[in-house]
Amino acid sequence: MAEQLAAGVQKLLTAPNFGHIATIMPDGSPQVTPVWVDTDGTYVIFNTAAGRQKTRNLERDAQIAVSITDQNNPYAYAAIRGRVAEVTAEGADAHIDKMAKKYLNQDTYPYRNASEQRMIVKILPEKVHSQNLE
């Protein structure tokens, strides 16, 4: 069952705070990756490239966890468990440019690789825990 993102969690996701996503490897072990995070108010969103380990893991098992810590107060955080609701290439190039503006203050993503297909991953929160958020 989906859980709404409280205003404090949404604020954490829209600020330039890094997230860490955990996916499940084929052998059942965890795989954790730092990512730029975003939200549309319902979903937790991140951008990646097709074929990466986290993408392959999510194709096999849609379970995912995300933790986000406030860069200005490491005691303010959110931990979100959920499932991937959508993975799409549609709008992914524009979205990575939006993330480059947010995190690097650059209009376009400077690490673009023509051989990669950018992907947007939308996570539907099922359990949200937060601490010390306004």
Side-chain angles (χ1 to χ4, degrees):
M1 173 176 257
E3 187 170 331
Q4 284 192 299
L5 297 172
V9 175
Q10 289 188 45
K11 183 177 176 183
L12 190 67
L13 288 163
T14 57
N17 298 304
F18 287 88
H20 290 85
I21 62 160
T23 62
I24 302 169
M25 295 290 289
D27 67 1
S29 64
Q31 185 266 340
V32 179
T33 305
V35 294
W36 291 345
V37 291
D38 194 13
T39 187
D40 63 2
T42 300
Y43 297 99
V44 177
I45 300 169
F46 70 93
N47 194 303
T48 189
R52 291 191 177 161
Q53 185 65 57
K54 60 185 162 291
T55 309
R56 292 193 314 268
N57 288 347
L58 292 169
E59 288 170 354
R60 189 186 65 264
D61 187 335
Q63 294 179 93
I64 190 165
V66 185
S67 69
I68 310 101
T69 304
D70 186 325
Q71 65 181 331
N72 297 313
N73 177 5
Y75 299 101
Y77 70 90
I80 301 163
R81 292 191 314 254
R83 294 192 171 275
V84 172
E86 181 181 12
V87 178
T88 182
E90 187 174 334
D93 287 327
H95 183 259
I96 196 64
D97 289 339
K98 175 185 170 189
M99 295 292 90
K101 186 66 173 178
K102 174 180 169 179
Y103 285 91
L104 303 173
N105 199 28
Q106 296 190 24
D107 292 331
T108 58
Y109 181 60
Y111 310 113
R112 193 174 309 275
N113 182 337
S115 68
E116 289 183 329
Q117 172 66 60
R118 299 305 308 181
M119 306 297 289
I120 293 173
V121 178
K122 293 184 178 182
I123 302 163
L124 184 63
E126 294 175 340
K127 177 67 177 164
V128 180
H129 172 77
S130 62
Q131 188 83 26
N132 299 320
L133 297 179
E134 296 176 15

